[in-house]
Each structure stands twice: as structure tokens, then as C-alpha cells.
Amino acid sequence: MKPVKVYTTNYCPYCDRAKSLLSRKGVPYEEIDVTGDDEMRVKLVEMSGGLRTVPQIWVGDTHVGGFDRLSELDRSGKLDELLQD
């Protein structure tokens, strides 16, 4: 399974939903909490192509985006494909 990184803040309900979805599927993930880390938030905006919201999720080298996109991929079955090595 490809590694999953989830950039979050501690006050974000969509972050909680993304982590919950991944946990329900048994997908291990690395959480990077950017709460109060202005330097990392600036870097995250650059890494995500200008997106300023969290969560921002990567599966391997693929930028998935936020919770809505993660959920959409899961419903369509494409998340399982993306997670495969």
C-alpha cells in the first residue's frame, strides 16, 4: 500500500472526517498537524497548487486534495486502486 499523508489542523471537522474514513478502511496514514505553523501552511499552499484549506491529502506522490475528493474517490472505488503499490 502506498504511504498516505494527511495535513490537518486541530480544529478542522473535515480533517476528522478524512482520518475517520481512512481508519475505517484500515489505511495507515501519517498526520502532519499544521495548526499554528505559518511556515508550514505557506509550504502546504505551494505543495497543493495554491489550495489554502485542510485537510490536504497525498497518496504516494499523488495529491488527492481534501476530504470531498477523498470521499468521492472512495465511493467510486478509485481510492482502493490509488492505494495499490
Side-chain angles (χ1 to χ4, degrees), residues 18-85:
K19 293 185 293 182
S20 179
L21 185 154
L22 292 168
S23 293
R24 278 194 315 272
K25 291 183 70 64
V27 176
Y29 60 88
E30 177 185 358
E31 180 178 4
I32 298 100
D33 187 345
V34 297
T35 305
D37 187 341
D38 294 338
E39 186 176 315
M40 189 61 220
R41 288 296 294 257
V42 169
K43 183 177 177 184
L44 183 58
V45 170
E46 292 170 6
M47 291 168 33
S48 67
L51 299 173
R52 298 183 175 276
T53 59
V54 288
Q56 289 301 320
I57 304 158
W58 273 262
V59 175
D61 293 332
T62 302
H63 179 235
V64 170
F67 170 72
D68 289 342
R69 181 72 176 127
L70 180 70
S71 180
E72 177 183 309
L73 287 171
D74 185 45
R75 284 191 311 272
S76 71
K78 293 180 181 177
L79 179 57
D80 292 331
E81 294 173 17
L82 184 58
L83 289 165
Q84 297 299 318
D85 276 330

Side-chain angles (χ1 to χ4, degrees), residues 2-22:
K2 292 179 185 167
V4 177
K5 289 187 180 182
V6 182
Y7 290 81
T8 66
T9 60
N10 62 11
Y11 51 83
C12 167
Y14 291 101
C15 297
D16 293 338
R17 291 177 188 166
K19 293 185 293 182
S20 179
L21 185 154
L22 292 168

